Amino acid sequence: MAGFRDLSTAPLDLPVIPYPAVTVAVDLGDGLIVDDVHGRQQRGGVVFGLVPDGVRVRGRNIDCLQIRLSPVLAHAVLGASLESGGEMVALDALWGRDAARTHERLRAAASWPERFAIAEAALARAHEAGRAVDPEVAHAWRRVEGSRGQVRVESLAAEVGWSRKRLWARFRSQIGLTPKRAARLVRFDHAAHRLAAGHSAGSVAVESGYADQSHLHRDVMAFTGATPTAVSAAPWLAVDDVAWAVRGRASSGL
């Protein structure tokens, strides 16, 4: 979890970069608007999948809580896999009345630590009531993530003792992407953060497992519609090392 507050006078308009986690954004003020290329618009609490389809965050005087959930946990916590990995869904459509109650408590909280504690408790309740992914699917995801997307996905079925068809179907229904596309996303994410850290596209391509710089360029364009140079300057990538310095634990407000 990370807290974000925009103190600039200019209106905010940022693309959401695909990321190997399901993201929950909760507006703690009244200025956050999330929309996509299809004209859909959400306010309040919004959930979007691993590969958002042209999702942008807009508004002024933004004050929001952002939560990243491993897709393995998101399946239980949200009660949905966000099939295809790209849907944008209102949090109250998944959590019902508990979303509204949690939202009210978050807005009334006096500090970021209090907000993190409220959100963590809500996540824990939902996880306890939810249905876990298959152990085989969880194993496959951990292998994809742990290898930074460079695992041979054809071998995953053999590792878990399933047929390729069964693993692909179960993985897609529970994670939201096929294993192959999930591996591409994880590899892209590693490359995008290396670009944002100032490394050259050529060196990033080599260390991230791309055939060459052109291959990296095509993948970045496929996920974001932007060039590697443009992605390297994405503000949300630039603050990741601060906002998400310790994975899996709450961060300070920014």
Coordinates of all heavy atoms in Angstrom, one line a residue, residues 26-101:
V26 N -8.2 4.0 -4.1 CA -9.3 4.6 -3.4 C -9.2 6.1 -3.2 O -8.2 6.5 -2.6 CB -9.4 3.9 -2.0 CG1 -10.6 4.4 -1.2 CG2 -9.5 2.4 -2.1
D27 N -10.1 6.8 -3.7 CA -10.1 8.3 -3.6 C -10.4 8.7 -2.2 O -11.5 8.4 -1.7 CB -11.1 8.9 -4.7 CG -11.1 10.4 -4.7 OD1 -10.1 11.0 -4.1 OD2 -12.0 11.0 -5.3
L28 N -9.6 9.5 -1.6 CA -9.8 9.9 -0.2 C -10.2 11.4 -0.2 O -10.5 11.9 0.9 CB -8.5 9.7 0.6 CG -8.0 8.3 0.7 CD1 -6.7 8.2 1.4 CD2 -9.0 7.4 1.3
G29 N -10.4 12.0 -1.4 CA -10.9 13.3 -1.5 C -12.1 13.3 -2.4 O -12.9 12.4 -2.3
D30 N -12.1 14.2 -3.3 CA -13.2 14.3 -4.3 C -12.7 14.6 -5.7 O -13.4 15.0 -6.6 CB -14.2 15.3 -3.9 CG -14.9 15.0 -2.6 OD1 -15.5 13.9 -2.6 OD2 -14.9 15.8 -1.7
G31 N -11.4 14.4 -5.9 CA -10.8 14.8 -7.2 C -10.4 13.8 -8.1 O -9.9 14.1 -9.2
L32 N -10.4 12.5 -7.8 CA -9.9 11.4 -8.6 C -10.9 10.9 -9.6 O -12.0 10.5 -9.2 CB -9.4 10.3 -7.7 CG -8.7 9.1 -8.4 CD1 -7.4 9.6 -8.9 CD2 -8.5 8.0 -7.4
I33 N -10.5 10.9 -10.8 CA -11.3 10.3 -11.9 C -10.5 9.3 -12.6 O -9.4 9.6 -13.0 CB -11.8 11.3 -12.9 CG1 -12.7 12.4 -12.2 CG2 -12.7 10.7 -14.0 CD1 -13.0 13.6 -13.1
V34 N -11.0 8.1 -12.8 CA -10.3 7.0 -13.6 C -11.1 6.7 -14.8 O -12.3 6.3 -14.6 CB -10.0 5.8 -12.7 CG1 -9.2 4.7 -13.5 CG2 -9.3 6.1 -11.4
D35 N -10.5 6.8 -16.0 CA -11.3 6.4 -17.2 C -10.4 5.7 -18.1 O -9.2 5.5 -18.0 CB -11.9 7.7 -17.8 CG -10.9 8.7 -18.1 OD1 -9.7 8.4 -18.3 OD2 -11.3 9.9 -18.2
D36 N -11.1 5.1 -19.2 CA -10.3 4.3 -20.2 C -10.7 4.7 -21.6 O -11.5 5.6 -21.8 CB -10.5 2.8 -19.9 CG -11.9 2.3 -20.1 OD1 -12.7 3.1 -20.7 OD2 -12.3 1.2 -19.7
V37 N -10.1 4.0 -22.5 CA -10.3 4.4 -23.9 C -11.7 4.1 -24.4 O -12.1 4.6 -25.5 CB -9.3 3.7 -24.9 CG1 -7.9 4.2 -24.6 CG2 -9.4 2.2 -24.7
H38 N -12.5 3.3 -23.7 CA -13.8 2.9 -24.1 C -14.8 3.9 -23.5 O -16.0 3.7 -23.7 CB -14.1 1.5 -23.6 CG -13.2 0.5 -24.1 ND1 -13.0 0.2 -25.4 CD2 -12.3 -0.3 -23.4 CE1 -12.1 -0.8 -25.5 NE2 -11.6 -1.0 -24.3
G39 N -14.4 5.0 -22.8 CA -15.3 6.0 -22.3 C -15.9 5.6 -20.9 O -16.7 6.4 -20.4
R40 N -15.4 4.5 -20.4 CA -15.9 4.2 -19.0 C -15.2 5.0 -18.0 O -14.0 5.3 -18.1 CB -15.7 2.7 -18.7 CG -16.5 1.7 -19.6 CD -16.1 0.3 -19.4 NE -14.7 0.0 -19.7 CZ -14.2 -1.2 -19.7 NH1 -14.9 -2.2 -19.3 NH2 -12.9 -1.4 -20.1
Q41 N -15.9 5.4 -17.0 CA -15.4 6.3 -15.9 C -15.8 5.8 -14.6 O -16.9 5.4 -14.4 CB -15.9 7.7 -16.2 CG -15.2 8.8 -15.3 CD -15.6 10.2 -15.7 OE1 -16.5 10.7 -15.1 NE2 -15.0 10.7 -16.8
Q42 N -14.8 5.9 -13.6 CA -15.1 5.4 -12.3 C -14.6 6.5 -11.3 O -13.6 7.1 -11.5 CB -14.4 4.1 -12.0 CG -14.8 2.9 -12.8 CD -16.2 2.4 -12.5 OE1 -16.9 2.9 -11.5 NE2 -16.7 1.5 -13.3
R43 N -15.2 6.6 -10.2 CA -14.8 7.4 -9.1 C -14.9 6.6 -7.8 O -15.4 5.5 -7.8 CB -15.7 8.6 -8.9 CG -15.6 9.6 -10.1 CD -16.6 10.8 -9.9 NE -16.6 11.8 -10.9 CZ -15.9 12.9 -10.8 NH1 -15.2 13.1 -9.7 NH2 -15.9 13.8 -11.8
G44 N -14.3 7.1 -6.7 CA -14.4 6.4 -5.4 C -13.3 5.4 -5.3 O -12.1 5.7 -5.3
G45 N -13.7 4.1 -5.3 CA -12.8 3.0 -5.3 C -12.8 2.3 -6.6 O -13.9 1.9 -7.1
V46 N -11.6 2.1 -7.2 CA -11.5 1.5 -8.5 C -10.5 0.4 -8.5 O -9.5 0.5 -7.9 CB -11.1 2.5 -9.5 CG1 -11.1 2.0 -10.9 CG2 -12.0 3.8 -9.5
V47 N -10.9 -0.7 -9.2 CA -9.9 -1.9 -9.3 C -9.6 -2.0 -10.8 O -10.5 -2.0 -11.6 CB -10.6 -3.2 -8.8 CG1 -9.6 -4.3 -9.0 CG2 -11.0 -3.0 -7.3
F48 N -8.4 -2.1 -11.1 CA -8.0 -2.4 -12.5 C -7.0 -3.5 -12.6 O -6.2 -3.7 -11.7 CB -7.6 -1.2 -13.4 CG -6.8 -0.1 -12.7 CD1 -5.4 -0.2 -12.6 CD2 -7.5 0.9 -12.0 CE1 -4.7 0.8 -12.0 CE2 -6.7 1.9 -11.4 CZ -5.3 1.9 -11.4
G49 N -7.1 -4.3 -13.7 CA -6.3 -5.5 -13.9 C -4.9 -5.3 -14.2 O -4.3 -4.2 -14.2
L50 N -4.2 -6.4 -14.6 CA -2.8 -6.4 -14.8 C -2.4 -5.5 -16.0 O -1.3 -4.9 -16.0 CB -2.3 -7.8 -15.0 CG -2.7 -8.8 -14.0 CD1 -2.1 -10.2 -14.3 CD2 -2.3 -8.4 -12.6
V51 N -3.2 -5.5 -17.0 CA -2.9 -4.8 -18.3 C -4.1 -3.8 -18.6 O -4.9 -4.1 -19.5 CB -2.6 -5.7 -19.5 CG1 -2.1 -4.9 -20.7 CG2 -1.6 -6.8 -19.1
P52 N -4.2 -2.7 -17.9 CA -5.3 -1.8 -18.1 C -5.3 -1.3 -19.5 O -4.3 -1.0 -20.1 CB -5.0 -0.7 -17.1 CG -4.1 -1.2 -16.1 CD -3.2 -2.2 -16.9
D53 N -6.5 -1.2 -20.1 CA -6.7 -0.8 -21.5 C -6.8 0.7 -21.6 O -7.9 1.2 -21.5 CB -7.9 -1.5 -22.1 CG -8.1 -1.2 -23.6 OD1 -7.1 -0.7 -24.2 OD2 -9.1 -1.6 -24.1
G54 N -5.7 1.4 -21.7 CA -5.7 2.9 -21.9 C -6.3 3.6 -20.7 O -6.9 4.6 -20.8
V55 N -6.1 3.1 -19.5 CA -6.6 3.7 -18.3 C -5.7 4.9 -17.9 O -4.5 4.9 -18.0 CB -6.6 2.7 -17.1 CG1 -7.0 3.4 -15.8 CG2 -7.6 1.5 -17.4
R56 N -6.4 6.0 -17.6 CA -5.8 7.2 -17.1 C -6.3 7.7 -15.8 O -7.5 7.5 -15.5 CB -5.9 8.3 -18.2 CG -5.3 8.0 -19.6 CD -5.3 9.2 -20.5 NE -4.3 10.1 -20.1 CZ -3.0 10.1 -20.5 NH1 -2.7 9.1 -21.3 NH2 -2.1 11.0 -20.1
V57 N -5.5 8.3 -15.0 CA -5.9 8.9 -13.8 C -5.9 10.4 -13.9 O -4.9 11.0 -14.3 CB -5.0 8.5 -12.6 CG1 -5.4 9.2 -11.3 CG2 -5.1 7.0 -12.4
R58 N -7.0 11.0 -13.7 CA -7.1 12.5 -13.9 C -7.7 13.2 -12.6 O -8.3 12.5 -11.8 CB -8.0 12.8 -15.1 CG -7.5 12.3 -16.4 CD -8.3 12.7 -17.6 NE -9.7 12.2 -17.6 CZ -10.8 12.9 -17.3 NH1 -10.7 14.1 -16.9 NH2 -12.0 12.3 -17.3
G59 N -7.5 14.5 -12.6 CA -8.1 15.2 -11.5 C -7.2 16.3 -10.9 O -6.2 16.6 -11.5
R60 N -7.6 16.9 -9.8 CA -6.8 17.9 -9.2 C -6.9 17.7 -7.7 O -7.9 17.3 -7.1 CB -7.5 19.3 -9.6 CG -6.7 20.5 -9.2 CD -7.5 21.8 -9.5 NE -7.8 21.9 -10.9 CZ -7.1 22.6 -11.8 NH1 -5.9 23.1 -11.4 NH2 -7.5 22.7 -13.1
N61 N -5.8 18.1 -7.0 CA -5.7 17.9 -5.6 C -6.0 16.5 -5.2 O -6.8 16.2 -4.3 CB -6.7 18.9 -4.8 CG -6.4 20.3 -5.1 OD1 -5.3 20.7 -5.2 ND2 -7.5 21.1 -5.3
I62 N -5.3 15.6 -5.8 CA -5.5 14.1 -5.6 C -5.0 13.7 -4.2 O -4.0 14.1 -3.8 CB -4.8 13.3 -6.7 CG1 -5.2 13.7 -8.1 CG2 -4.9 11.8 -6.4 CD1 -6.7 13.4 -8.3
D63 N -5.9 12.9 -3.6 CA -5.5 12.3 -2.3 C -6.0 10.9 -2.3 O -7.3 10.7 -2.3 CB -6.2 13.1 -1.1 CG -5.7 12.7 0.2 OD1 -4.7 12.0 0.3 OD2 -6.3 13.2 1.2
C64 N -5.2 9.9 -2.5 CA -5.7 8.5 -2.7 C -4.8 7.5 -2.1 O -3.6 7.7 -1.8 CB -5.9 8.3 -4.2 SG -4.4 7.8 -5.1
L65 N -5.4 6.4 -1.8 CA -4.6 5.2 -1.3 C -4.6 4.2 -2.5 O -5.6 3.9 -3.1 CB -5.4 4.5 -0.1 CG -4.9 3.2 0.4 CD1 -3.5 3.4 1.0 CD2 -5.8 2.6 1.4
Q66 N -3.4 3.7 -2.7 CA -3.2 2.7 -3.8 C -2.7 1.4 -3.2 O -1.8 1.4 -2.4 CB -2.2 3.2 -4.8 CG -2.1 2.3 -6.1 CD -1.1 2.9 -7.1 OE1 -0.7 4.0 -7.1 NE2 -0.6 2.0 -7.9
I67 N -3.4 0.3 -3.6 CA -3.0 -1.0 -3.1 C -2.7 -1.9 -4.3 O -3.4 -1.9 -5.3 CB -4.2 -1.6 -2.4 CG1 -4.7 -0.7 -1.2 CG2 -3.9 -3.0 -1.8 CD1 -6.0 -1.1 -0.6
R68 N -1.6 -2.6 -4.2 CA -1.2 -3.6 -5.2 C -1.4 -5.0 -4.6 O -0.8 -5.3 -3.6 CB 0.2 -3.3 -5.7 CG 0.4 -2.1 -6.6 CD 1.9 -1.9 -6.9 NE 2.1 -0.9 -7.9 CZ 3.2 -0.4 -8.3 NH1 4.3 -0.8 -7.7 NH2 3.3 0.6 -9.2
L69 N -2.1 -5.8 -5.4 CA -2.4 -7.2 -4.9 C -1.8 -8.1 -5.9 O -2.1 -8.1 -7.1 CB -3.9 -7.4 -4.8 CG -4.6 -6.7 -3.7 CD1 -6.1 -6.9 -3.9 CD2 -4.2 -7.2 -2.3
S70 N -1.0 -9.1 -5.4 CA -0.6 -10.2 -6.3 C -1.9 -10.8 -6.9 O -2.9 -11.0 -6.2 CB 0.1 -11.2 -5.5 OG 0.2 -12.5 -6.2
P71 N -1.9 -11.2 -8.1 CA -3.1 -11.8 -8.7 C -3.5 -13.1 -8.0 O -4.7 -13.4 -8.0 CB -2.7 -12.0 -10.2 CG -1.2 -12.0 -10.2 CD -0.8 -11.0 -9.2
V72 N -2.5 -13.7 -7.4 CA -2.8 -14.9 -6.6 C -3.7 -14.6 -5.4 O -4.7 -15.3 -5.1 CB -1.5 -15.6 -6.1 CG1 -1.8 -16.7 -5.1 CG2 -0.8 -16.2 -7.3
L73 N -3.4 -13.4 -4.7 CA -4.2 -13.0 -3.6 C -5.5 -12.3 -4.1 O -6.6 -12.4 -3.4 CB -3.4 -12.0 -2.7 CG -2.2 -12.6 -2.0 CD1 -1.5 -11.5 -1.2 CD2 -2.7 -13.7 -1.0
A74 N -5.4 -11.6 -5.2 CA -6.6 -10.8 -5.7 C -7.7 -11.7 -6.0 O -8.9 -11.3 -5.8 CB -6.2 -10.0 -6.9
H75 N -7.5 -12.9 -6.4 CA -8.6 -13.8 -6.7 C -9.5 -14.1 -5.5 O -10.7 -14.1 -5.7 CB -8.0 -15.2 -7.2 CG -9.0 -16.2 -7.6 ND1 -9.7 -16.1 -8.8 CD2 -9.5 -17.3 -7.0 CE1 -10.5 -17.1 -8.9 NE2 -10.4 -17.8 -7.8
A76 N -8.8 -14.2 -4.4 CA -9.6 -14.4 -3.1 C -10.1 -13.1 -2.6 O -11.3 -13.0 -2.2 CB -8.8 -15.1 -2.1
V77 N -9.3 -12.1 -2.6 CA -9.6 -10.8 -1.9 C -10.8 -10.1 -2.7 O -11.7 -9.5 -2.0 CB -8.4 -9.9 -1.8 CG1 -8.8 -8.5 -1.4 CG2 -7.4 -10.5 -0.8
L78 N -10.8 -10.1 -4.0 CA -11.7 -9.4 -4.8 C -12.9 -10.3 -5.3 O -13.9 -9.8 -5.8 CB -11.1 -8.7 -5.9 CG -10.0 -7.7 -5.5 CD1 -9.3 -7.1 -6.7 CD2 -10.6 -6.5 -4.7
G79 N -12.7 -11.6 -5.2 CA -13.7 -12.5 -5.7 C -13.9 -12.5 -7.2 O -14.9 -12.8 -7.7
A80 N -12.8 -12.1 -7.9 CA -12.8 -12.1 -9.3 C -11.4 -12.1 -9.8 O -10.5 -11.6 -9.2 CB -13.5 -10.8 -9.8
S81 N -11.2 -12.6 -11.1 CA -9.9 -12.7 -11.6 C -9.6 -11.6 -12.6 O -8.5 -11.4 -13.1 CB -9.7 -14.0 -12.4 OG -10.6 -14.1 -13.5
L82 N -10.6 -10.7 -12.9 CA -10.5 -9.7 -13.9 C -10.1 -10.3 -15.2 O -9.0 -10.1 -15.7 CB -9.6 -8.6 -13.5 CG -10.0 -7.8 -12.2 CD1 -9.0 -6.8 -11.8 CD2 -11.4 -7.1 -12.5
E83 N -10.9 -11.2 -15.7 CA -10.6 -12.0 -17.0 C -10.1 -11.1 -18.0 O -10.6 -10.0 -18.3 CB -11.9 -12.7 -17.5 CG -11.7 -13.5 -18.7 CD -11.0 -14.8 -18.4 OE1 -11.0 -15.2 -17.2 OE2 -10.5 -15.4 -19.3
S84 N -9.0 -11.5 -18.7 CA -8.3 -10.8 -19.7 C -7.3 -9.8 -19.1 O -6.5 -9.3 -19.8 CB -9.2 -10.0 -20.7 OG -9.6 -8.8 -20.2
G85 N -7.4 -9.6 -17.8 CA -6.4 -8.8 -17.1 C -6.5 -7.3 -17.3 O -5.7 -6.5 -16.8
G86 N -7.5 -6.8 -18.1 CA -7.5 -5.4 -18.3 C -8.8 -4.7 -17.9 O -8.9 -3.5 -18.2
E87 N -9.7 -5.3 -17.3 CA -11.0 -4.6 -16.9 C -10.7 -3.6 -15.8 O -9.8 -3.7 -15.0 CB -12.0 -5.6 -16.5 CG -12.6 -6.4 -17.6 CD -12.4 -7.9 -17.4 OE1 -11.3 -8.3 -17.3 OE2 -13.5 -8.6 -17.4
M88 N -11.6 -2.6 -15.8 CA -11.7 -1.6 -14.8 C -13.0 -1.8 -14.1 O -14.0 -1.7 -14.7 CB -11.5 -0.2 -15.4 CG -11.5 0.9 -14.3 SD -11.1 2.5 -15.1 CE -12.7 2.8 -16.0
V89 N -13.0 -2.0 -12.8 CA -14.3 -2.3 -12.1 C -14.4 -1.5 -10.8 O -13.3 -1.2 -10.1 CB -14.3 -3.8 -11.7 CG1 -15.6 -4.2 -11.0 CG2 -14.1 -4.7 -12.9
A90 N -15.5 -1.0 -10.5 CA -15.8 -0.3 -9.2 C -15.6 -1.2 -8.1 O -16.1 -2.4 -8.1 CB -17.2 0.3 -9.2
L91 N -14.9 -0.8 -7.0 CA -14.7 -1.6 -5.9 C -16.0 -2.1 -5.2 O -16.1 -3.2 -4.8 CB -13.8 -0.9 -4.8 CG -13.4 -1.7 -3.6 CD1 -12.7 -3.0 -4.0 CD2 -12.6 -0.8 -2.6
D92 N -17.0 -1.2 -5.2 CA -18.3 -1.6 -4.6 C -19.0 -2.7 -5.4 O -19.9 -3.3 -4.8 CB -19.2 -0.4 -4.3 CG -19.5 0.4 -5.6 OD1 -19.2 -0.1 -6.7 OD2 -20.0 1.5 -5.5
A93 N -18.7 -2.8 -6.7 CA -19.3 -3.9 -7.5 C -18.7 -5.3 -7.0 O -19.3 -6.3 -7.2 CB -19.0 -3.7 -8.9
L94 N -17.5 -5.3 -6.4 CA -16.9 -6.5 -5.9 C -17.1 -6.7 -4.4 O -17.3 -7.9 -4.0 CB -15.4 -6.5 -6.2 CG -15.0 -6.3 -7.7 CD1 -13.5 -6.2 -7.8 CD2 -15.5 -7.4 -8.5
W95 N -17.1 -5.6 -3.6 CA -17.2 -5.8 -2.2 C -18.6 -5.4 -1.6 O -18.8 -5.5 -0.4 CB -16.1 -4.9 -1.5 CG -14.8 -5.6 -1.4 CD1 -14.4 -6.8 -1.9 CD2 -13.7 -5.0 -0.7 NE1 -13.1 -7.1 -1.5 CE2 -12.6 -6.0 -0.8 CE3 -13.4 -3.9 0.0 CZ2 -11.4 -5.9 -0.2 CZ3 -12.1 -3.7 0.6 CH2 -11.1 -4.7 0.5
G96 N -19.4 -4.8 -2.5 CA -20.7 -4.4 -2.0 C -20.7 -3.4 -0.9 O -19.9 -2.4 -0.9
R97 N -21.5 -3.5 0.2 CA -21.6 -2.5 1.2 C -20.3 -2.4 2.0 O -20.0 -1.3 2.5 CB -22.7 -2.9 2.2 CG -24.1 -2.8 1.6 CD -25.1 -3.2 2.6 NE -26.5 -3.1 2.0 CZ -27.6 -3.3 2.7 NH1 -27.5 -3.7 4.0 NH2 -28.8 -3.2 2.1
D98 N -19.5 -3.4 2.0 CA -18.2 -3.3 2.8 C -17.3 -2.3 2.1 O -16.5 -1.7 2.8 CB -17.5 -4.7 2.8 CG -16.4 -4.7 3.9 OD1 -16.7 -4.2 5.0 OD2 -15.4 -5.3 3.7
A99 N -17.4 -2.1 0.8 CA -16.6 -1.1 0.1 C -16.9 0.3 0.6 O -16.1 1.1 0.9 CB -16.8 -1.2 -1.4
A100 N -18.2 0.6 0.7 CA -18.7 1.9 1.2 C -18.3 2.1 2.6 O -17.8 3.2 3.0 CB -20.2 2.0 1.0
R101 N -18.4 1.1 3.5 CA -18.1 1.3 4.9 C -16.6 1.5 5.0 O -16.1 2.4 5.8 CB -18.5 0.0 5.7 CG -20.0 -0.1 5.9 CD -20.3 -1.2 7.0 NE -19.9 -2.5 6.4 CZ -20.8 -3.3 5.9 NH1 -22.1 -2.9 5.7 NH2 -20.5 -4.5 5.4

